[in-house]
Amino acid sequence: MGLPKLVEIYSELRRLHPAGQSPVVIDSATLAKYPESTLQALCEGLQIKYCPEQLQWKAGPKPDIDGLWAPYWYQQVHNSTGFHATNSEVVNMPAALSPAEVELYREALPFFDLLTRKAIGRDPLNPGSSPAADSFISANNAADVTVLDHGLSMRLSSTLSDARNAHVLVWVGDRLLPRELAKVSVFDSAVQGGDAVWEGLRVYQGSVFMLEQHIQRLLDSSKAMAFANVPSRAFIKQAIFTTLAANGMRDGVHLRLTLSRGAKLTSSMNPAFNVFGCNLIVLPEWKPVGDAATYDNNRGIRLITATNRRNSPQCVDSKIHHCNLINNILPKIQANVGGAADALMLDLEGFVSETNATNVFLVKNGAVLTPHADYCLPGVTRHTVMTLARERLGLSVVERRVSLAEFHAADEVFTTGTMGELTPVVEIDGRQIGPSEGGVRLGAGPVTRLIQEAYRDLTATTGYPLPNEA
């Protein structure tokens, strides 16, 4: 039975199914590799009881239970499913495909992809991923699996904290694509070598906050990286506005803006092979401040100090907001292992630079201190907070080298970033930071709360207004 016919049958069954239900699809390779998990998921989908005996049935007809389709199964279908003993240690070289077979494969692939996205054991949001045993998690026990991110414990069933994120449209290159189809070429420079730059933006009440500043930094980073054929500022804005409008997004939204050097003519590190121009990605998500995937700005977070150091401008200048983030990911792994939200990173001389994800400030005797932006990214939120503290709140703000001991002894500590805004830090390396009552930490200190409130006022009253809907 051909793939187009299977898709036709699936579509007809879906039409006949009650609202909210879909036909069950099984990939024979998944069933062969994970028989028990697949059968359990199949029984759950069909709302029938699973019996371990199903794994032990001998091949051949079973007159007592066989249904109408059984003779066809034994005579035809079973022979085409690949259910035969295999030796996983033996690697066979398949025959080369002829041009006609390659063309047939191209034509059949969309049908296969459609069914694969619906198959048991495949992630519908990433259908190209390999099926794994731990992907067979039913709704009954999903709540038992938790993930720690930014210091918040999240249930697996709520990692998409807003169900609308499963259906977002993403801008890739020059068009909008559904989330599950939003991909770049394997020849793209972002894949080949992390050769891309990025920005994070937030949308508040119909306006994009600090839009011009973020686009300028994106363009500055691309210039420092010698990108060619960079899209214009107007094109980038139009892509952002089109993406937000298509998704109906006007508030509580985070945007990840990525600009890669583009696809290469052949696999290589050499930018000379980038002959197709840059590739722009606008990834929107419903992700308000305080969401499970951001930071807890009320209770605060814990930090540890990373063992590896922040990149020096002698190596890779952090003022280029690039996507080669291994220097940040390794400290994040340390934070995960240590049960902390993030990790403080020191420069090569032992002074605090920033965290793996945010800029960092301390408060001592009413004065606000932050490290020089020599090793760290001079964040847009960092600059906004410094301006607010100085000009609107009249606080003393000092940029200088700040040691780890000063952070350990600080009255207050907070981090800044577009995604999380201002987040209080309540512990660093086991040292309690900030106010407490009866041994219970109270979260943000008075200066941090003051700046948090001023920042919220600013996001509510300023920004680049989104065009009105047509």
Side-chain angles (χ1 to χ4, degrees):
M1 187 177 296
L3 286 169
K5 190 65 177 179
L6 286 176
V7 171
E8 182 182 334
I9 293 173
Y10 176 86
S11 301
E12 181 63 18
L13 289 175
R14 185 177 180 182
R15 185 183 68 81
L16 297 174
H17 267 65
Q21 296 184 22
S22 296
V24 179
V25 179
I26 299 176
D27 184 341
S28 61
T30 305
L31 179 59
K33 190 171 184 178
Y34 305 109
E36 184 172 11
S37 299
T38 306
L39 285 174
Q40 287 176 340
L42 172 61
C43 291
E44 183 178 339
L46 297 176
Q47 299 180 2
I48 61 177
K49 183 180 179 181
Y50 166 73
C51 300
E53 292 78 12
Q54 293 172 0
L55 294 169
Q56 307 298 326
W57 285 347
K58 295 180 180 179
K62 299 168 184 61
D64 295 337
I65 58 174
D66 280 347
L68 178 65
W69 281 87
Y72 297 95
W73 167 267
Y74 296 121
Q75 295 171 16
Q76 302 175 27
V77 181
H78 189 274
N79 294 327
S80 67
T81 56
F83 296 145
H84 51 79
T86 59
N87 186 346
S88 60
E89 301 300 321
V90 177
V91 178
N92 295 313
M93 184 67 181
L97 296 178
S98 67
E101 289 171 327
V102 171
E103 186 59 31
L104 179 62
Y105 175 74
R106 289 178 181 273
E107 294 177 2
L109 190 59
F111 297 101
F112 178 78
D113 285 343
L114 187 150
L115 291 171
T116 299
R117 289 199 296 274
K118 308 296 183 182
I120 289 173
R122 295 280 185 166
D123 183 353
L125 301 181
N126 189 20
S129 60
S130 299
D134 57 5
S135 67
F136 297 104
I137 301 176
S138 68
N140 296 327
N141 61 8
D144 297 331
V145 182
T146 59
V147 179
L148 189 71
D149 187 45
H150 295 139
L152 298 177
S153 182
M154 301 183 296
R155 290 182 175 181
L156 183 63
S157 57
S158 66
T159 49
L160 276 181
S161 53
D162 192 312
R164 292 174 294 181
N165 286 332
H167 308 289
V168 293
L169 297 172
V170 182
W171 183 278
V172 181
D174 60 356
R175 70 196 66 185
L176 287 168
L177 294 169
R179 172 177 176 148
E180 67 273 15
L181 299 179
K183 301 175 176 66
V184 297
S185 167
V186 295
F187 289 96
D188 192 278
S189 291
V191 179
Q192 292 276 318
D195 189 5
V197 295
W198 69 282
E199 288 294 320
L201 300 90
R202 275 206 169 278
V203 180
Y204 299 92
Q205 301 175 42
S207 295
V208 184
F209 191 60
M210 298 291 172
L211 174 64
E212 296 289 2
Q213 291 87 334
H214 281 290
I215 291 180
Q216 186 59 55
R217 188 169 65 183
L218 186 82
L219 296 174
D220 289 346
S221 294
S222 68
K223 183 176 182 180
M225 293 290 292
F227 283 10
N229 300 313
V230 176
S232 68
R233 182 185 296 265
F235 181 90
I236 296 171
K237 284 183 182 178
Q238 188 60 56
I240 292 172
F241 297 155
T242 300
T243 303
L244 291 172
N247 287 286
M249 293 173 159
R250 299 187 69 85
D251 190 31
V253 174
H254 181 267
L255 287 169
R256 171 87 174 211
L257 197 64
T258 303
L259 183 69
S260 86
R261 197 183 296 270
K264 292 179 177 294
L265 189 63
T266 185
S267 179
S268 172
M269 180 181 66
N270 190 350
F273 289 110
N274 289 87
V275 297
F276 303 106
C278 292
N279 189 19
L280 177 67
I281 301 171
V282 183
L283 172 58
E285 290 182 286
W286 301 97
K287 191 182 289 187
V289 177
D291 179 83
T294 59
Y295 292 90
D296 190 333
N297 290 353
N298 295 317
R299 293 180 300 174
I301 60 172
R302 296 175 56 244
L303 300 177
I304 62 169
T305 301
T307 57
N308 52 307
R309 302 303 175 92
R310 192 69 175 99
N311 278 334
S312 162
Q314 300 175 72
C315 306
V316 179
D317 195 338
S318 296
K319 293 174 183 61
I320 302 174
H321 205 198
H322 56 83
C323 290
N324 202 321
L325 297 177
I326 191 171
N327 187 233
N328 307 77
I329 293 169
L330 290 174
K332 179 60 178 176
I333 293 172
Q334 295 171 39
N336 288 346
V337 173
D342 280 325
L344 274 178
M345 299 187 69
L346 309 182
D347 63 27
L348 295 181
E349 297 182 60
F351 293 95
V352 173
S353 174
E354 58 182 343
T355 78
N356 57 276
T358 56
N359 293 126
V360 64
F361 291 74
L362 70 79
V363 179
K364 190 69 174 179
N365 299 324
V368 179
L369 285 75
T370 192
H372 279 302
D374 294 336
Y375 286 73
C376 72
L377 175 77
V380 172
T381 308
R382 174 184 181 271
H383 175 76
T384 303
V385 164
M386 292 171 67
T387 302
L388 280 175
R390 281 193 185 113
E391 299 180 5
R392 183 173 297 188
L393 302 176
L395 298 172
S396 171
V397 179
V398 180
E399 278 185 280
R400 65 168 173 82
R401 284 180 161 183
V402 187
S403 72
L404 183 58
E406 290 180 280
F407 272 92
H408 286 163
D411 298 331
E412 304 174 39
V413 175
F414 61 90
T415 64
T416 63
T418 297
M419 182 180 288
E421 297 184 349
L422 279 74
T423 304
V425 176
V426 298
E427 182 183 305
I428 301 176
D429 300 327
R431 281 80 160 180
Q432 181 176 313
I433 308 294
S436 64
E437 188 174 294
V440 178
R441 297 168 185 145
L442 300 180
V447 175
T448 303
R449 284 199 301 271
L450 193 65
I451 303 175
Q452 279 180 325
E453 292 167 2
Y455 188 87
R456 286 194 207 100
D457 289 343
L458 191 68
T459 62
T461 56
T462 62
Y464 194 106
L466 294 173
N468 293 324
E469 298 178 2

